[in-house]
Amino acid sequence: MKKLLEVLEYGDGEIRFNTDINVNKNPEVIPDIASRAAFSMATGLWGGNEISILAVIRALSIADLSLCTHRKEMIREMESNSEYLAQCFVEAKREYEKAGGTVFTFGPDIKPSKNHS
């Protein structure tokens, strides 16, 4: 098991971060993490706490962008990368359905039945 990101808030409000990922050694790990995280968010994040988890992830992103020197460039890059990843997911879903698979979509806070995961 690898720690992608650990975020801890201490009693005094201090937030600390830790990871087992070394981007300097392997910069290609980031696109891989992004695609696997998106897949997990689309399929396996169920447990009833999705809204809170996604809200915290977005809060961390906002905090990062607020400190970014080239914020507009970063936002454009994030928009471009996320659009590409979204297109990949749509295409994968289309191919899966074309091959006879069925895709079930559930909104946040709606747990799939035992028959769907």
Side-chain angles (χ1 to χ4, degrees), residues 60-93:
L60 295 172
S61 298
I62 290 167
D64 176 46
L65 285 170
S66 73
L67 300 172
C68 186
T69 305
H70 304 286
R71 188 174 54 81
K72 289 183 180 181
E73 289 177 32
M74 181 64 77
I75 290 170
R76 279 193 297 273
E77 184 176 332
M78 291 173 74
E79 182 177 2
S80 173
N81 291 339
S82 64
E83 182 179 1
Y84 174 74
L85 188 55
Q87 290 170 351
C88 290
F89 271 87
V90 167
E91 184 60 31
K93 177 184 170 196

Side-chain angles (χ1 to χ4, degrees), residues 90-107:
V90 167
E91 184 60 31
K93 177 184 170 196
R94 191 177 299 131
E95 290 296 320
Y96 182 70
E97 289 173 335
K98 192 175 173 182
T102 305
V103 176
F104 297 94
T105 305
F106 302 93

Side-chain angles (χ1 to χ4, degrees), residues 12-97:
D12 58 0
E14 181 182 353
I15 296 176
R16 295 185 190 169
F17 304 89
N18 195 12
T19 183
D20 292 338
I21 305 300
N22 187 332
V23 178
N24 292 326
K25 286 185 179 177
N26 185 8
E28 292 302 314
V29 72
I30 298 305
D32 180 53
I33 290 172
S35 64
R36 289 185 293 122
F39 182 78
S40 182
M41 289 173 175
T43 61
L45 192 58
W46 303 107
N49 203 19
E50 294 82 12
I51 289 175
S52 294
I53 291 169
L54 295 173
V56 170
I57 290 170
R58 289 182 181 125
L60 295 172
S61 298
I62 290 167
D64 176 46
L65 285 170
S66 73
L67 300 172
C68 186
T69 305
H70 304 286
R71 188 174 54 81
K72 289 183 180 181
E73 289 177 32
M74 181 64 77
I75 290 170
R76 279 193 297 273
E77 184 176 332
M78 291 173 74
E79 182 177 2
S80 173
N81 291 339
S82 64
E83 182 179 1
Y84 174 74
L85 188 55
Q87 290 170 351
C88 290
F89 271 87
V90 167
E91 184 60 31
K93 177 184 170 196
R94 191 177 299 131
E95 290 296 320
Y96 182 70
E97 289 173 335

